[in-house]
Amino acid sequence: MSSPSRNSSGPTLRRSRRLSKGKVNSSLSATGTAQQPTTSRTKTSGSPQDRSSRPYSLRRKASPIPPPCETISVHQGILAGSSSGTTSITASTASKAKRARLTHHQAAQSVNLSNPEDNFLQYHVPSEILLKIFSYLLEKDLCNVLCVCKRFNTLAGDPTVWKKMYQSVYEMSLPVLRPSPTRFKFVQPDKVDSPNIWKESFKTLYNAVHVKPGHARRVYDNMEMYKGREIQYYDTIEEALSSVEGNDYPLILLHAGVYSGEWLYIDTPVCILGAAPGHIPDSVIVENFKESTFVFFEGCEDAYLGHISIRFNPDHQSNTPHHKHSCVEVGSCCSPIIDSCNIRSRSQVGAAVSVSGKNAAPTVKNCVISDCENVGLFINDHAQGHFMDCEISGNALAGIWVKNHANPLIRRCHIHHGRDVGVFTFDNGMGHFDRCDIHHNRIAGFEVKAGANPTVVHCEIHHGQTGGIYVHENGRGEFLENKIHSNTFAGVWVTSNSDPTIRGNEIFNGHQGGVYIFGEGRGLIENNDIHSNALAGIQIRTNSNPIIRGNRIHDGQHGGIYVHEKGKGLIIENEVYSNTLAGVWVTTGSCPELRRNRIHSGKQVGVYFYDNGHGTLEDNDIFNHMYSGVQIRTGSDPIIRRNKIWGGQNGGILVYNGGLGVLEYNEIFDNAMAGVWIKTDSNPHLRYNKIHDGRDGGICIFNGGRGLLEENEIFRNTQAGVLISSQSHPKLKRNKIYDGLAAGIEITNNATAYLEGNHVFNNKFAGICLATGVNPEMKDNKVHGNKNAIEKAVKCGRCLYKISSYTSYPMHDFYRCKTCNTTDRNAICVNCIRRCHSGHDVEFVTHDRFFCDCGAGTLSLQCQLAGEPTKDTDTLYDSAAPIESHTLMVN
């Protein structure tokens, strides 16, 4: 265990007197019972001269009548000590001892109690004085006092006496237990079930070797003062290591001081423990300037190093390279325990703690690794180890590096305020990180690179000045059930062919997005709760192709999922809701697959395709959005298949500004406006859809809209099943349009259409209504069984407002009254012309969709056919225009 470069000659002094360990340890038994000397009692009395010549005048006198309740017999002492190797009493000896006690008792009854001085110290001195006297004794003398009598045993075993002795010898504020050779446990005295924890702890540490500079000389110069104690003191750690070489788990106690420049190479299972009052590492400091402060070699097995400060402070003016020097260096086939140490390296290269090589597996616990000028903890080259409850902070580079197939277990560590990344795994590094708190690091909290594959479980990763987790350059890793929040950029970044698993995490309150996948990133993003982020919950771009499954993405200040710049991905079985912008955005050449998602309750659109956004939207539930459920525009050409789209406040699907797309097998229902809108040169293909129970029309095509509508079922809508208006020209083939509360098909306002093989029946108004000047191409349509409520109302002389109110627009003849000075914006039905405006100068305007303003009470002349007047809404030729989403480009 000596330095390989020094030839140590062992301890220079063994200056303390030695006490017989057998006697001390026997008297310091854990039972707390006084143990007697093993010599037999040969006489019961003696002359005063004999008694005064004994080594301790406090020892029990041979009094004629010692009170039976206060006396501890020699035989009792022998029995108590039998477990410590004392010879046991045979049955015959016990019988003789019993007869001797009876004889002694009978003789004592006849003795006159005329010598109280014989019992004065033993029975009449106040306890306070005896305690004061006992507090000045050393452990050998105190153990002898324990054997005098029961009262002395009680007083000499008082915890305050042993506390004073313990703290004077070991200088520690709390007692220490040693449950196993390499485990030391500081305990609170009032929380331990022990009659005298200070005595027990004193015994635990008694065989330790002490390093206390200058104290060995003090003992040597005052040998008479210390002759009741056998403790070895040394001035240096190297001397102490040499003195215990060959022992099994020897203990070295380092007392307060700064130990500099020693070469400490540990190759045997030695235990080194700091010993000082208060917070021990503040007072016990071991440092080096040239070499690693502590180096553990093969053979050290599970050596222990605890409760000290370890520093490496190189001379920066020196030309000696220090890239391999550390505060603590653990090599191959070593498994030391580093416990409750403060570790700091001022070297600008290397690491404070370096663990390297196969079967290097230290246990590092409760340590503080802080303010280092390089890496805090470096685990490399197939090393392992258990690192727990450590605080790693303020380091110039990463708090932890894991590299080259190293696979440590890191639990409950606090990694924060680093000047670089918190944890960096790279070059196939691995590791299991459990319940760590990683925050306020200048770059990412956790970085994975170059084939690294860590497992990160139940950690909290937050307030990173760049991001939370950064996986790049073919990085992998599993991130399970972590809390990732309040990071300056994205909570999770995945890029450059990396393929991590992000599962069961809560990712929230990011100052930008939740999960950001770009640069051909992949990954499985599964069962996470992603919410309340400033930008998109998940962003996919630049040929990235992740799997997004089973996540809850909600309450974002932006959109839910944003796919752009040729992004891809399988987005399946997620719930996307209550986001400020679109639930899902697909744009700029992107082509994701969205399947079996629930996208609902958004403050704008459910799914928004724009600027050549493509992809597949299949088997999703899309409902209850403030705008449309789906919007398609500007060259976007998605496949919309087998979705349920309902509850939109602005319609089901809106296709506009040159939008395309195939919409098939969808169920579109219960939308506040049209089930499908097609406008402004858009040309989608709708087939096999069911569009029903809308609170407006079924399909509205206007402003130059086109499209092919074939084999759809359109039924039970409040307005026209299909409305075609304003220069639009769609094709309708083999559709079933029925049970509508208005007309089946209405074509108006210079629009045209190709109608072939459609089945239009059982609608409230006519089956097909054509406005003035409309001449569609029609072939093989079946129009029957429609209720023709308009014609019936005209024949009955009723105002058409009676059957439409101001929410429906029946197609019929549109008049105006010159006498009443009405304009083209005021429509009057034929029956009101005949009755209310009889004899007025009137003219026919057109045959088109309108409601009667006369019946609505919006004219100066009161209608004679209608009831109470209603508000003036003016005649609207088309249904209300949809609200279009505002495009917000976010890179």
Side-chain angles (χ1 to χ4, degrees):
M1 212 179 304
S2 60
S3 166
S5 58
R6 291 190 183 182
N7 188 12
S8 176
S9 59
T12 57
L13 290 173
R14 299 206 179 188
R15 298 167 177 162
S16 58
R17 298 274 305 206
R18 296 185 176 231
L19 169 68
S20 172
K21 293 184 181 179
K23 184 177 293 186
V24 172
N25 288 338
S26 174
S27 299
L28 294 175
S29 64
T31 62
T33 304
Q35 298 185 8
Q36 300 291 340
T38 56
T39 57
S40 301
R41 187 190 333 194
T42 57
K43 56 184 178 179
T44 60
S45 63
S47 67
Q49 291 78 10
D50 293 336
R51 289 198 297 272
S52 62
S53 65
R54 295 176 184 175
Y56 295 100
S57 60
L58 297 179
R59 188 177 298 279
R60 186 178 64 219
K61 311 298 186 296
S63 175
I65 345 180
C69 61
E70 293 288 338
T71 304
I72 301 177
S73 70
V74 175
H75 304 287
Q76 288 175 320
I78 295 173
L79 287 171
S82 61
S83 60
S84 303
T86 308
T87 306
S88 62
I89 302 177
T90 63
S92 175
T93 305
S95 178
K96 293 179 181 179
K98 182 176 180 181
R99 287 195 300 271
R101 287 198 302 273
L102 289 173
T103 303
H104 173 72
H105 181 69
Q106 291 169 356
Q109 297 299 322
S110 60
V111 177
N112 187 352
L113 297 176
S114 59
N115 297 314
E117 68 278 2
D118 288 345
N119 300 316
F120 180 76
L121 286 177
Q122 193 169 352
Y123 303 113
H124 301 291
V125 174
S127 298
E128 292 79 2
I129 296 177
L130 288 176
L131 284 172
K132 188 67 173 177
I133 296 171
F134 294 165
S135 68
Y136 289 100
L137 302 180
L138 298 184
E139 56 271 14
K140 176 182 176 181
D141 303 320
L142 196 58
C143 290
N144 288 332
V145 169
L146 285 168
C147 301
V148 173
C149 68
K150 195 167 187 178
R151 184 182 181 216
F152 278 23
N153 180 272
T154 300
L155 293 175
D158 188 274
T160 59
V161 175
W162 288 94
K163 177 181 178 180
K164 181 178 179 181
M165 185 187 306
Y166 174 88
Q167 293 182 341
S168 69
V169 173
Y170 304 116
E171 299 181 334
M172 292 182 279
S173 301
L174 293 175
V176 179
L177 298 180
R178 193 177 187 181
S180 64
T182 58
R183 184 184 171 199
F184 296 87
K185 182 179 179 182
F186 286 83
V187 295
Q188 294 292 337
D190 56 345
K191 296 182 179 179
V192 180
D193 186 16
S194 173
N196 193 340
I197 186 62
W198 297 100
K199 176 183 174 184
E200 183 179 345
S201 182
F202 191 96
K203 178 185 175 183
T204 297
L205 304 179
Y206 195 71
N207 291 325
V209 171
H210 295 242
V211 179
K212 190 174 183 180
H215 196 72
R217 168 60 62 183
R218 190 177 304 115
V219 172
Y220 183 77
D221 293 341
N222 299 276
M223 296 182 67
E224 287 298 320
M225 180 185 299
Y226 291 98
K227 68 179 180 180
R229 171 169 297 159
E230 181 185 330
I231 293 179
Q232 299 178 46
Y233 288 95
Y234 296 95
D235 290 338
T236 67
I237 304 172
E238 289 179 282
E239 292 174 354
L241 288 171
S242 298
S243 73
V244 299
E245 192 167 356
N247 297 345
D248 289 334
Y249 297 105
L251 174 60
I252 297 175
L253 296 180
L254 302 187
H255 289 265
V258 178
Y259 302 87
S260 300
E262 299 192 58
W263 292 10
L264 304 176
Y265 291 81
I266 313 298
D267 57 1
T268 60
V270 65
C271 300
I272 302 175
L273 178 67
H279 186 243
I280 299 173
D282 292 343
S283 303
V284 182
I285 301 170
V286 182
E287 62 181 1
N288 206 315
F289 306 100
K290 297 180 180 180
E291 301 286 339
S292 293
T293 309
F294 282 94
V295 181
F296 291 89
F297 285 110
E298 182 175 357
C300 72
E301 298 176 3
D302 50 349
Y304 178 92
L305 178 64
H307 296 273
I308 63 176
S309 288
I310 308 170
R311 296 177 184 173
F312 178 55
N313 297 321
D315 182 2
H316 295 296
Q317 304 299 323
S318 171
N319 294 324
T320 304
H322 295 294
H323 62 281
K324 293 185 178 180
H325 296 158
S326 306
C327 295
V328 177
E329 183 179 331
V330 180
S332 300
C333 302
C334 292
S335 54
I337 299 171
I338 317 296
D339 181 16
S340 301
C341 294
N342 289 353
I343 302 172
R344 179 179 301 170
S345 171
R346 292 300 185 188
S347 174
Q348 296 180 356
V349 292
V353 178
S354 176
V355 183
S356 181
K358 289 185 177 180
N359 298 317
T363 297
V364 180
K365 58 183 179 180
N366 304 309
C367 291
V368 177
I369 305 172
S370 63
D371 299 314
C372 302
E373 294 302 323
N374 204 274
V375 177
L377 171 61
F378 183 24
I379 308 157
N380 184 29
D381 193 19
H382 298 86
Q384 299 181 34
H386 190 179
F387 304 83
M388 56 186 178
D389 300 306
C390 296
E391 182 167 355
I392 302 172
S393 64
N395 298 293
L397 292 184
I400 300 176
W401 273 11
V402 182
K403 179 183 177 183
N404 192 20
H405 302 283
N407 191 17
L409 178 59
I410 298 177
R411 284 198 171 113
R412 299 184 302 276
C413 289
H414 188 193
I415 305 163
H416 63 100
H417 289 94
R419 288 169 274 170
D420 198 85
V421 68
V423 178
F424 185 24
T425 57
F426 62 107
D427 290 352
N428 299 300
M430 296 183 288
H432 185 98
F433 297 79
D434 181 18
R435 288 170 286 173
C436 296
D437 187 5
I438 305 171
H439 64 93
H440 284 102
N441 295 286
R442 193 178 68 84
I443 307 182
F446 207 109
E447 182 175 353
V448 183
K449 176 183 176 182
N453 189 18
T455 300
V456 182
V457 183
H458 298 135
C459 294
E460 188 169 359
I461 303 171
H462 58 104
H463 290 95
Q465 296 180 34
T466 299
I469 296 170
Y470 181 31
V471 188
H472 62 116
E473 296 184 29
N474 297 292
R476 299 178 63 197
E478 285 188 288
F479 297 86
L480 312 176
E481 300 179 7
N482 304 285
K483 283 189 175 182
I484 304 164
H485 64 92
S486 308
N487 295 288
T488 301
F489 296 143
V492 178
W493 292 29
V494 181
T495 185
S496 51
N497 295 300
S498 296
D499 190 16
T501 296
I502 313 293
R503 180 186 292 124
N505 304 281
E506 185 180 6
I507 305 170
F508 62 100
N509 286 347
H511 298 173
Q512 289 194 6
V515 179
Y516 182 26
I517 307 166
F518 65 103
E520 299 183 345
R522 300 192 302 278
L524 173 61
I525 316 299
E526 183 175 47
N527 296 331
N528 301 285
D529 187 7
I530 304 171
H531 65 91
S532 307
N533 296 288
L535 297 182
I538 297 177
Q539 184 176 171
I540 306 170
R541 60 177 288 200
T542 51
N543 296 305
S544 296
N545 191 15
I547 297 172
I548 312 295
R549 181 169 63 195
N551 303 282
R552 296 172 63 233
I553 305 165
H554 60 99
D555 293 294
Q557 300 173 39
H558 191 265
I561 300 175
Y562 182 26
V563 189
H564 62 119
E565 296 181 34
K566 298 184 180 180
K568 301 175 185 176
L570 174 61
I571 302 170
I572 182 171
E573 297 176 354
N574 302 281
E575 185 169 10
V576 184
Y577 63 96
S578 299
N579 294 289
T580 301
L581 300 183
V584 179
W585 292 15
V586 182
T587 182
T588 51
S590 299
C591 191
E593 298 180 29
L594 289 89
R595 293 190 168 94
R596 299 192 297 279
N597 301 284
R598 285 169 53 89
I599 305 168
H600 65 94
S601 306
K603 298 174 184 177
Q604 284 196 10
V605 179
V607 182
Y608 186 23
F609 296 89
Y610 70 98
D611 292 350
N612 296 301
H614 309 302
T616 301
L617 186 65
E618 186 173 85
D619 296 316
N620 302 280
D621 283 342
I622 304 169
F623 59 95
N624 288 349
H625 291 91
M626 293 297 293
Y627 292 4
S628 304
V630 178
Q631 286 191 14
I632 306 169
R633 74 166 215 187
T634 50
S636 297
D637 190 14
I639 297 172
I640 313 294
R641 180 186 295 131
R642 290 194 304 275
N643 302 283
K644 290 183 178 180
I645 303 170
W646 56 278
Q649 298 302 305
N650 193 224
I653 298 176
L654 169 60
V655 189
Y656 67 108
N657 290 358
L660 303 168
V662 176
L663 286 66
E664 59 184 7
Y665 300 105
N666 300 287
E667 187 174 358
I668 304 168
F669 63 96
D670 193 29
N671 295 286
M673 301 180 71
V676 178
W677 296 86
I678 303 171
K679 71 171 202 172
T680 51
D681 300 314
S682 297
N683 190 20
H685 186 181
L686 281 74
R687 61 189 179 193
Y688 312 118
N689 300 286
K690 290 184 178 182
I691 304 169
H692 62 93
D693 292 298
R695 287 168 272 167
D696 198 279
I699 300 175
C700 294
I701 308 169
F702 59 103
N703 290 350
R706 292 173 290 162
L708 173 61
L709 285 65
E710 58 179 353
E711 301 194 50
N712 300 285
E713 283 194 55
I714 305 166
F715 59 96
R716 289 206 308 259
N717 295 288
T718 301
Q719 298 289 346
V722 178
L723 171 64
I724 305 169
S725 177
S726 54
Q727 291 83 43
S728 298
H729 189 173
K731 296 179 180 180
L732 281 72
K733 297 181 178 181
R734 299 180 299 280
N735 299 284
K736 292 173 66 176
I737 305 168
Y738 60 95
D739 291 348
L741 301 181
I745 300 174
E746 291 185 340
I747 307 177
T748 182
N749 200 14
N750 298 315
T752 185
Y754 178 80
L755 310 177
E756 178 184 351
N758 299 287
H759 192 185
V760 185
F761 62 96
N762 202 36
N763 295 287
K764 182 177 179 181
F765 299 161
I768 300 177
C769 297
L770 305 177
T772 299
V774 171
N775 188 22
E777 184 178 354
M778 296 191 290
K779 180 180 178 181
D780 299 331
N781 297 288
K782 295 180 181 180
V783 182
H784 65 89
N786 296 288
K787 298 176 183 179
N788 296 316
I790 300 298
E791 293 182 11
K792 292 177 181 178
V794 171
K795 289 179 181 179
C796 294
R798 297 172 62 192
C799 175
L800 297 187
Y801 187 79
K802 284 284 190 179
I803 64 171
S804 69
S805 76
Y806 62 89
T807 61
S808 183
Y809 311 98
M811 186 171 286
H812 200 61
D813 292 341
F814 175 179
Y815 293 85
R816 76 183 183 90
C817 179
K818 295 182 179 181
T819 302
C820 296
N821 199 26
T822 62
T823 67
D824 290 345
R825 300 294 296 174
N826 300 124
I828 304 173
C829 71
V830 62
N831 286 334
C832 286
I833 288 292
R834 291 171 182 171
R835 177 74 178 271
C836 304
H837 298 268
S838 176
H840 291 193
D841 184 8
V842 299
E843 66 175 347
F844 173 78
V845 178
T846 186
H847 184 82
D848 213 326
R849 303 175 68 243
F850 69 95
F851 67 80
C852 180
D853 281 283
C854 181
T858 60
L859 302 180
S860 59
L861 182 66
Q862 185 173 354
C863 180
Q864 301 176 32
L865 300 177
E868 295 294 325
T870 59
K871 63 180 181 179
D872 183 7
T873 60
D874 287 332
T875 302
L876 301 177
Y877 291 94
D878 300 313
S879 297
I883 302 173
E884 300 171 6
S885 292
H886 298 289
T887 303
L888 178 60
M889 297 295 292
V890 179
N891 292 322

